Amino acid sequence: GAELQARRRAVHDALCDSIDTPAALRQLEQLVREVNRYLASTSAATANRPLLLDIARFFEKVLGAFGLSDAPEPERYAPPFAAGGADAARGIGGLGGGGGAPGAPGASREQIAGPIVEVLADFRERVRALAVSGASASELLAECDRLRDDDLRRVGVRLEDRSGEAARWMLVTPADLEAERAAAEAEERKRAEVRQAAQAKDAARTAMRAVPPEQMFRPEHDGLFGREASFTQWDSQGLPTHGADGEPLSKGARKRAEKAYAKQKANQETS
């Protein structure tokens, strides 16, 4: 608490020193860092909520003085969150902590909390039913994931798991959630495309290895081996002797074919 107050005073002193804006912003950054360190070292239950809320208001006031924040205070600290619940664990300006911006200004406690309570009540009933039926731990955990990924997000709550710590929550707008979902789906499509490309490559490699060396230069395997034109004549081993134009292969082309033939034969012998 003392360090937080000291950082706040440093911001004020910089502004009083002929409005030293660069110094004030540096101190303001240090104030945010100190708040985040404090939040990391405590829990929502033990945090000094009045102090954190006071510093958050100070932070918004300074940003407003610089023209960087135009939201009226009632919109940022609307009930029921401003008066003492999880607001203190949010941190300054939405940084760190547990939650995010509250619901629409002027909304009642029931209007804000009602949809969330209904989601939790439904979750409780599902978990109770699973427990009574002797469900496995994996089934119960799947319900927890559904609550985090679908149910809470549907009512504007983002819940983020943190290793070894309590989950972090934040109230977000439907537009933000839709943007996140679209980004996640795009990323998943990208991963799926990479997986499919790798699978196709593996399948092609397997199919190539299965072709006998004496058959690999035949027209029916041109696509598999990436040839754009077919050979027209072959020797007794299946090695090509004439190209698509009916002319004998050059010495270099013949050597490349022999090398590919030997490699194919070695691959089959080791597979």
Side-chain angles (χ1 to χ4, degrees):
E3 184 62 28
L4 293 176
Q5 291 288 25
R7 292 295 182 186
R8 173 176 173 170
R9 283 195 300 272
V11 176
H12 183 267
D13 292 344
L15 291 174
C16 290
D17 184 13
S18 301
I19 315 179
D20 188 348
T21 303
L25 289 176
R26 286 195 297 271
Q27 292 298 333
L28 200 62
E29 178 187 9
Q30 291 303 314
L31 175 59
V32 172
R33 292 179 183 274
E34 192 59 41
V35 168
N36 288 334
R37 278 195 291 269
Y38 175 73
L39 289 171
S41 67
T42 188
S43 66
T46 59
N48 187 336
R49 294 170 176 169
L51 172 62
L52 288 173
L53 185 57
D54 185 51
I55 290 176
R57 285 176 170 145
F58 173 75
F59 180 85
E60 297 290 349
K61 182 178 180 180
V62 173
L63 288 186
F66 290 147
L68 300 176
S69 177
D70 56 5
E73 183 173 306
E75 292 189 17
R76 294 184 177 274
Y77 305 102
F81 300 101
D87 62 296
R90 283 202 306 272
I92 291 180
L95 300 177
S108 68
R109 184 186 300 268
E110 289 76 14
Q111 289 173 317
I112 296 174
I116 301 174
V117 172
E118 289 178 3
V119 163
L120 295 177
D122 183 58
F123 169 71
R124 178 177 180 271
E125 289 303 315
R126 297 199 307 268
V127 170
R128 279 170 55 87
L130 286 171
V132 169
S133 67
S136 65
S138 62
E139 291 177 293
L140 295 173
L141 289 174
E143 281 299 324
C144 293
D145 290 342
R146 173 183 168 184
L147 175 70
R148 178 196 62 204
D149 299 334
D150 298 321
D151 299 341
L152 285 176
R153 293 177 68 86
R154 191 174 62 250
V155 293
V157 178
R158 181 195 296 128
L159 187 64
E160 300 174 354
D161 292 333
R162 296 191 292 176
S163 179
E165 300 181 59
R168 185 200 310 270
W169 64 266
M170 181 179 292
L171 296 178
V172 293
T173 66
D176 288 339
L177 288 175
E178 182 57 32
E180 289 179 6
R181 184 181 296 276
E185 290 175 352
E187 182 63 26
E188 178 54 34
R189 285 195 298 271
K190 184 177 179 181
R191 288 196 294 265
E193 290 172 359
V194 171
R195 288 196 299 269
Q196 291 171 2
Q199 291 169 358
K201 188 175 181 180
D202 288 342
R205 187 181 297 112
T206 300
M208 288 173 62
R209 291 172 68 94
V211 177
E214 59 272 14
Q215 295 291 325
M216 65 181 294
F217 295 105
R218 294 291 178 175
E220 60 266 28
H221 299 305
D222 285 344
L224 184 60
F225 287 91
R227 294 190 293 267
E228 296 180 359
S230 300
F231 298 111
T232 54
Q233 294 185 44
W234 302 264
D235 65 13
S236 60
Q237 289 183 291
L239 284 164
T241 59
H242 292 67
D245 57 3
E247 294 295 325
L249 295 181
S250 67
K251 185 176 180 179
R254 176 78 179 185
K255 283 188 175 296
R256 287 193 295 272
E258 290 173 351
K259 183 177 180 181
Y261 182 97
K263 182 178 179 181
Q264 183 74 358
K265 186 175 182 179
N267 285 338
Q268 289 209 331
E269 290 173 350
T270 58
S271 62

